[in-house]
Amino acid sequence: MLSALTVGATTAHADDTSATGRQAMLKGSTTASYFWDDSSGRAGDTGLPAAGKPMQKGLVASPSWPLMTEGYVVYKGKKMPFFVGDRGPGDPSSRGVMLDLDAKTFADLTGGKFNPDTLGVDGVSGEGHIKVDYVVTKWGDGVGRKNVPVAFSSGAWSEKDSRPAAPTRYAADFVQPVSVKNAG
């Protein structure tokens, strides 16, 4: 049974060599929302993402995983790579929303279109949350929980994980890595 902090997120250690060529560190499903922070202060924008990288396609916010954790999400058969570049979502994570995808990735997954004027996604009938499968293929080096995602309010994002999820072996490289542009 899942604890209150992981409502809406199910996970398991999993072999994923057939889909990626590399064994997964962690695999599961959760509800995902979207955001886009362009440092303008508009549309709920909070500024530069926590990892110090500019907002870009493939950047996600996690309430508990270490920054620079890598993997991919799958929605209705579409697979998109990600890296954790920010913290969040805040309050929605206590209701099971454990990933905040960048708006461009959300648009690609759902068939919508990123709107640079509103920082939103058009053409998805107002849908702002989707159920995704996720696969973590590499843990970031810093603080954060390297396991089942938990709500932001747990504080796991600021603690060093002493019991990380890990595969028993690795295979060949898996998927095109996300290009992380340097700020500045």
Side-chain angles (χ1 to χ4, degrees):
M1 185 159 182
L2 297 172
S3 72
L5 292 177
T6 60
V7 171
T10 59
T11 59
H13 301 282
D15 284 335
D16 195 35
T17 55
S18 63
T20 64
R22 182 176 182 185
Q23 191 172 11
M25 305 292 259
L26 187 70
K27 184 177 178 181
S29 61
T30 190
T31 301
S33 53
Y34 73 85
F35 76 117
W36 192 268
D37 284 352
D38 69 352
S39 302
S40 68
R42 63 191 171 123
D45 178 351
T46 58
L48 191 65
K53 306 294 180 193
M55 194 68 209
Q56 59 194 278
K57 189 173 179 179
L59 187 148
V60 303
S62 168
S64 61
W65 290 339
L67 294 174
M68 304 313 291
T69 291
E70 298 175 9
Y72 60 91
V73 292
V74 180
Y75 176 72
K76 293 187 177 179
K78 294 181 184 176
K79 180 168 74 171
M80 299 293 292
F82 73 79
F83 72 96
V84 176
D86 207 1
R87 294 290 176 214
D91 179 48
S93 64
S94 63
R95 296 188 308 271
V97 180
M98 294 296 173
L99 278 179
D100 215 356
L101 306 173
D102 73 273
K104 290 181 180 181
T105 295
F106 189 93
D108 283 354
L109 288 170
T110 61
K113 181 175 166 104
F114 175 69
N115 184 328
D117 295 328
T118 65
L119 305 181
V121 177
D122 296 338
V124 292
S125 303
E127 187 173 5
H129 295 91
I130 57 175
K131 184 78 166 183
V132 297
D133 293 322
Y134 62 81
V135 176
V136 172
T137 57
K138 179 183 172 196
W139 292 115
D141 292 333
V143 295
R145 184 173 178 163
K146 296 178 179 179
N147 215 310
V148 178
V150 295
F152 188 82
S153 62
S154 73
W157 55 270
S158 67
E159 300 170 0
K160 191 73 170 174
D161 193 345
S162 62
R163 296 173 43 124
T168 56
R169 62 180 169 74
Y170 288 92
D173 288 337
F174 65 105
V175 69
Q176 288 288 66
V178 176
S179 172
V180 180
K181 300 174 188 167
N182 290 324

